[in-house]
Amino acid sequence: MTLTRMMIKYLLVAVMLFAIMQNKSYGGGLPVRPGSLTISPSVLYFFADKGWDSLSHKSPFAQNGKYTSISYSIFAQYGISKRFALVVSLPYVISNYTQIGYQSHSSGLTDLETGIKYYLANINYTYYFSLQGTLITPLYTDLNLGYAEPGSELKLSFAGSGKVVGRNYFFNVDEAVRQYYGNQGPVQDRYSATFGLSLDRRFKNQVIFSVGGEYSTSSFTTVSANQALNKNFSFNQATFSFGHAFTRSISVFVSAGTFISGRNTGDGSSASISLNLRPFRGI
Amino acid sequence: MKPIYKLLSLAVCLMIIIDVQNAFAQKSKDKPADTTKKEQPAKPEEDAATPDMKVTTPDPNAFYADKAVYTFDILNPSNKPQDGKVSYQVFSETGQKLNFDSLKVNVDKKANKKYTFEIPEAKPGFYKVNLMMNITDDDDTARRVFGIRPEQIRSPYKKPVDFEMFWQTAKDELAKVKPSFKTTFIKDSLNRKIYAIEMQSLGNMTIRGWMTIPKAGGKNRKFPVWVGLPGYQVNLTPIMADDDNLAIITLNVRGQGNSRGPIDTRRDEYICYHIENKDNYVMRGAIMDCVRCIDYVFSRSDLRHDDVFVTGGSMGGFLSMATAALDKRVTICSAQNPIFSDVRNLIGEVDWPMSDIIKYAKTRPGLTMDKVLNNMDYFDVKNFATDITCSTLMGIGLLDPLAPPNNEYAAYNNLSGKKRIMVFKDLGHEVNQVFATLEARWMMDTFALF
């Protein structure tokens, strides 16, 4: 494997993380009804054939390199009480990298995330704050799938809804700090901001715009030939989604996203589809 | 970040900020209707622009520590300078003249000018103020109400020492009446089932109302309950909310709506019905009807017994607070402009209902107003308020001619549980959509109906 090829693969670590994290925008700051269960299976396709280096200079992958991944995820959220909710997500990822004379393939379950969300406070019962603590448990050893290190995350969310230009809207802002407990971290700052606008009276059809990103830092500051140690990168991405509710218990979301900026990461685009099922409405 | 994304982010932020400000403002967007204007003679077309005034006060609720502040903004679009004065006259809630002051006014043609008054009032309470402009081409008066340290308002009139005993006796009497609850399916609406409900209450009187229950959910689903209590001589009908979370009960207390029976008075007689005897006063029975309605809720296995919300406006607000005070099974209570608060202080402050009650007292041989007031002490919202321990939301209008803010605050300050009041400085005997929205969200949050 040439050094170039190795470098490109390292850049894809962040891409992989992005592909996994993109399905985590559910829940957010709104409290969860006790006894209610939300299950959301999703599929995300990601493609990248160029990337940003450590100076954020963008260039195509060498040797006509292409990275694709398909991530199958399941997300579940259960309201334990008025204040507490259990949040679980589990992705299964299939990734491929090809370039002239080289190809690699990885697949498997990645990081199981198990969290407890706590409804902190509200402003006028319109704007809500919640805090979520999450444990990250790697279910793999293949370093092409992630750090293979346990970690934890603390996330503060702010969400609300209202009316603007005669239409119902919702918004959600997440800010999270994640720490992996392996050698030299990394510590990551993860954020997302989402704004959704109903196209009708009750969010039967809606459009959603979101921006998000990660800033990953570690005392290990250079792009290493050892991909497991490549822990310094950042990216910002934008996603546009359309959602349709078939019933109050079944809805579907179709999304398209693209990276806006980055450092030590691939520059890619994504498409995803997810179902949102509420088999139990709760109390 | 690329400029387009920055712009989009900024737009999103702005929309959120605007809405947050609207949510915090808690004030009516309705323009006050209490401005009187001198009729102006017809003017030549070239001088059709007439002066006008805007009166503003910096506090959104018009609440102050010891000095109310009002600013006249005199707008003179005409081609003529305007001279004259602006002045204010403060009145107590009973109409007694208090502070007065004026300032000379001189506004150039096609100019605006501002004049600010600081109005000192030392005693906690609410004050009416007439803000007057008398200038060359216009006379105008704006009527407002401001509050001085309303959180310190207390009624000088004590609660009867046997208040709780009086109501315990009433509840004991009610308990002896077999409720004989009846629930009759009427019809389906789009998303709800509609039932007529019926029960026996104090004096074995038949009380009726309505219940609508969402169709959504399985047979074992239990619904939180919204109990709507009626205003004066209002006939409540089934409520068809576009909601699948709540059972909604609307109750017509005795002598009202479909619960008219032995008590079938003319509209203005109802408030005085047997007021000469506190044990027979119509409101004693009406309040017990509400308690019986809570019994009804607890008799049903499809209703959640730990999530019972009582709400109403005007007399409905009075009934809500009385019910919450007497029945601890009520989870949360909302009262909009409740009547009958600090009753003794209502004399001279309001026309209705005191005028009808005074008139009635005069027509009954041997009945004195003292006796009536002694009886009404047992039906005073501020006396019920001390016994309310559940979370309570109140909404009041500072210009309310039936439930004046002094009296409402005497009740609010007596509440011992978690409480909140929304004040609408430009509204009378009403609240607006801001209140309704907050009330609904508060209830949904309390019942965890996210």
Side-chain angles (χ1 to χ4, degrees):
Chain A
M1 192 183 291
T2 66
L3 182 61
T4 306
R5 199 183 298 145
M6 293 286 285
M7 293 289 282
I8 289 169
K9 280 193 67 182
Y10 314 144
L11 297 180
L12 297 175
V13 172
V15 170
M16 180 78 74
L17 290 169
F18 160 76
I20 294 165
M21 77 172 266
Q22 202 182 42
N23 285 319
K24 290 179 56 208
S25 58
Y26 306 99
L30 291 176
V32 180
R33 181 183 292 201
S36 72
L37 176 65
T38 302
I39 298 173
S40 181
S42 63
V43 182
L44 181 140
Y45 173 78
F46 184 86
F47 172 83
D49 60 1
K50 51 191 177 296
W52 284 283
D53 63 14
S54 62
L55 298 172
S56 296
H57 294 145
K58 188 158 67 176
S59 56
F61 291 158
Q63 304 291 314
N64 202 24
K66 287 183 179 60
Y67 172 83
T68 59
S69 78
I70 297 176
S71 168
Y72 300 94
S73 294
I74 188 146
F75 167 92
Q77 179 173 261
Y78 178 73
I80 300 167
S81 67
K82 180 178 173 181
R83 293 279 175 189
F84 290 97
L86 177 67
V87 180
V88 177
S89 74
L90 180 61
Y92 180 89
V93 174
I94 303 165
S95 70
N96 289 291
Y97 177 73
T98 59
Q99 68 175 52
I100 296 167
Y102 173 80
Q103 66 177 36
S104 75
H105 172 87
S106 297
S107 64
L109 292 169
T110 58
D111 286 325
L112 169 68
E113 298 191 6
T114 313
I116 294 286
K117 186 158 79 172
Y118 178 71
Y119 162 25
L120 271 180
N122 70 69
I123 300 170
N124 274 350
Y125 308 100
T126 304
Y127 305 99
Y128 289 87
F129 295 91
S130 71
L131 196 62
Q132 182 176 322
T134 302
L135 284 176
I136 298 143
T137 311
L139 303 179
Y140 57 97
T141 51
D142 181 352
L143 293 178
N144 283 320
L145 293 172
Y147 298 128
E149 292 170 350
S152 62
E153 182 183 271
L154 195 61
K155 179 167 74 177
L156 179 66
S157 299
F158 176 53
S161 59
K163 278 205 165 185
V164 66
V165 293
R167 292 187 183 280
N168 291 314
Y169 75 82
F170 75 91
F171 72 89
N172 187 80
V173 180
D174 293 333
E175 169 57 32
V177 177
R178 174 175 288 209
Q179 164 85 65
Y180 285 92
Y181 297 115
N183 189 26
Q184 295 173 301
V187 176
Q188 296 178 336
D189 178 90
R190 296 170 160 223
Y191 80 94
S192 73
T194 303
F195 180 81
L197 194 66
S198 176
L199 301 178
D200 42 49
R201 226 177 121 219
R202 297 192 68 170
F203 288 98
K204 193 166 176 61
N205 294 292
Q206 58 181 297
V207 288
I208 303 161
F209 175 73
S210 65
V211 290
E214 287 185 31
Y215 289 78
S216 181
T217 55
S218 164
S219 55
F220 189 82
T221 55
T222 54
V223 180
S224 165
N226 180 350
Q227 68 173 2
L229 298 179
N230 184 22
K231 294 170 177 175
N232 276 275
F233 64 87
S234 65
F235 65 83
N236 296 293
Q237 48 102 3
T239 309
F240 181 81
S241 308
F242 173 79
H244 174 75
F246 297 103
T247 67
R248 290 188 180 182
S249 301
I250 303 172
S251 46
V252 66
F253 293 85
V254 181
S255 304
T258 185
F259 277 36
I260 304 164
S261 61
R263 181 178 59 82
N264 286 345
T265 188
D267 174 16
S269 301
S270 67
S272 71
I273 183 164
S274 65
L275 273 175
N276 207 331
L277 310 170
R278 290 185 71 189
F280 303 118
R281 302 168 50 84
I283 58 170
Chain B
M1 203 184 276
K2 290 175 187 172
I4 183 67
Y5 297 120
K6 281 185 181 175
L7 279 173
L8 281 168
S9 304
L10 186 63
V12 170
C13 290
L14 277 173
M15 285 188 283
I16 291 166
I17 288 165
I18 288 164
D19 202 73
V20 168
Q21 284 175 339
N22 286 340
F24 279 136
Q26 287 190 13
K27 59 187 176 183
S28 168
K29 287 176 183 171
D30 306 331
K31 205 173 175 184
D34 59 328
T35 302
T36 54
K37 212 170 168 80
K38 184 175 77 179
E39 281 216 5
Q40 298 296 310
K43 293 182 178 181
E45 193 138 325
E46 63 273 18
D47 196 22
T50 55
D52 202 359
M53 73 169 190
K54 280 184 187 166
V55 176
T56 56
T57 192
D59 187 87
N61 289 335
F63 286 1
Y64 297 94
D66 51 10
K67 276 181 211 159
V69 177
Y70 284 96
T71 298
F72 286 80
D73 190 358
I74 298 181
L75 320 167
N76 180 18
S78 73
N79 288 320
K80 199 160 123 189
Q82 299 292 320
D83 297 317
K85 66 173 183 179
V86 288
S87 58
Y88 71 80
Q89 172 68 61
V90 179
F91 301 90
S92 70
E93 285 276 31
T94 54
Q96 183 193 351
K97 281 189 177 179
L98 302 170
N99 271 321
F100 170 85
D101 200 1
S102 66
L103 286 171
K104 280 191 177 173
V105 165
N106 188 315
V107 185
D108 288 340
K109 62 182 182 182
K110 295 201 176 294
N112 299 346
K113 213 162 178 180
K114 290 186 178 183
Y115 299 87
T116 296
F117 286 111
E118 288 192 344
I119 307 174
E121 284 298 343
K123 203 175 147 197
F126 286 91
Y127 298 86
K128 295 174 181 172
V129 59
N130 286 357
L131 300 144
M132 298 157 285
M133 175 186 75
N134 304 98
I135 54 176
T136 313
D137 285 336
D138 201 9
D139 290 341
D140 207 347
T141 301
R143 295 186 179 85
R144 301 285 189 271
V145 171
F146 64 85
I148 298 292
R149 303 190 304 284
E151 70 282 359
Q152 294 178 10
I153 292 172
R154 296 287 183 280
S155 172
Y157 300 108
K158 300 290 179 209
K159 180 179 181 175
V161 289
D162 62 342
F163 183 88
E164 277 80 15
M165 194 188 296
F166 172 81
W167 285 107
Q168 187 56 53
T169 305
K171 286 199 287 183
D172 291 345
E173 276 179 40
L174 177 69
K176 287 177 189 158
V177 179
K178 195 179 168 195
S180 302
F181 297 124
K182 280 186 195 163
T183 307
T184 310
F185 175 72
I186 301 295
K187 63 175 180 178
D188 278 330
S189 74
L190 191 64
N191 64 329
R192 289 183 165 261
K193 289 179 180 294
I194 304 166
Y195 299 91
I197 62 173
E198 191 177 299
M199 60 204 80
Q200 299 305 117
S201 182
L202 199 68
N204 209 28
M205 220 169 268
T206 303
I207 304 305
R208 297 181 183 87
W210 307 95
M211 178 169 66
T212 67
I213 293 186
K215 289 179 182 172
K219 280 185 178 176
N220 295 326
R221 191 165 176 213
K222 293 180 177 226
F223 295 96
V225 193
W226 186 100
V227 179
L229 299 173
Y232 189 73
Q233 291 293 284
V234 169
N235 178 18
L236 290 180
T237 52
I239 291 187
M240 304 292 147
D242 184 17
D243 167 275
D244 60 2
N245 293 304
L246 284 171
I248 300 175
I249 291 176
T250 41
L251 185 74
N252 285 312
V253 295
R254 60 191 58 202
Q256 300 213 153
N258 59 352
S259 294
R260 280 176 182 268
I263 301 174
D264 191 7
T265 65
R266 287 191 302 179
R267 180 182 168 79
D268 54 351
E269 288 172 349
Y270 182 78
I271 197 82
C272 305
Y273 191 80
H274 289 170
I275 201 169
E276 61 275 14
N277 181 344
K278 64 178 185 288
D279 293 321
N280 288 335
Y281 183 38
V282 68
M283 288 301 168
R284 182 171 182 261
I287 291 167
M288 286 302 104
D289 297 343
C290 299
V291 173
R292 175 89 329 154
C293 184
I294 306 300
D295 291 337
Y296 174 79
V297 170
F298 273 71
S299 74
R300 293 192 63 90
S301 59
D302 56 348
L303 304 181
R304 260 161 58 185
H305 300 160
D306 51 352
D307 289 331
V308 180
F309 174 46
V310 293
T311 181
S314 193
M315 190 182 100
F318 160 78
L319 291 171
S320 294
M321 292 185 74
T323 308
L326 298 177
D327 196 328
K328 300 303 174 198
R329 294 173 297 179
V330 170
T331 318
I332 53 172
C333 166
S334 167
Q336 305 102 56
N337 318 94
I339 61 166
F340 276 171
S341 183
D342 200 8
V343 172
R344 288 173 184 267
N345 268 331
L346 286 174
I347 295 173
E349 284 188 359
V350 300
D351 183 22
W352 190 90
M354 300 318 287
S355 55
D356 283 355
I357 292 170
I358 291 167
K359 204 188 301 172
Y360 178 81
K362 282 179 182 166
T363 62
R364 304 293 291 186
L367 183 62
T368 63
M369 200 54 203
D370 268 355
K371 168 69 177 161
V372 169
L373 289 173
N374 287 340
N375 288 344
M376 291 189 75
D377 284 341
Y378 294 86
F379 302 90
D380 193 319
V381 165
K382 63 114 176 139
N383 292 336
F384 284 117
T386 54
D387 291 333
I388 296 176
T389 50
C390 68
S391 285
T392 302
L393 175 66
M394 283 179 71
I396 66 168
L398 293 193
L399 305 176
D400 193 333
L402 309 178
N406 264 327
N407 304 61
E408 301 292 272
Y409 255 90
Y412 179 73
N413 290 337
N414 274 354
L415 289 168
S416 51
K418 206 172 166 189
K419 61 185 177 181
R420 178 168 180 175
I421 191 165
M422 291 182 79
V423 175
F424 300 94
K425 69 179 168 60
D426 296 326
L427 293 186
H429 197 58
E430 60 184 322
V431 292
N432 65 13
Q433 189 56 40
V434 176
F435 181 92
T437 302
L438 183 111
E439 182 194 51
R441 287 175 181 261
W442 168 61
M443 178 198 62
M444 302 292 265
D445 184 272
T446 305
F447 296 164
L449 298 173
F450 306 120

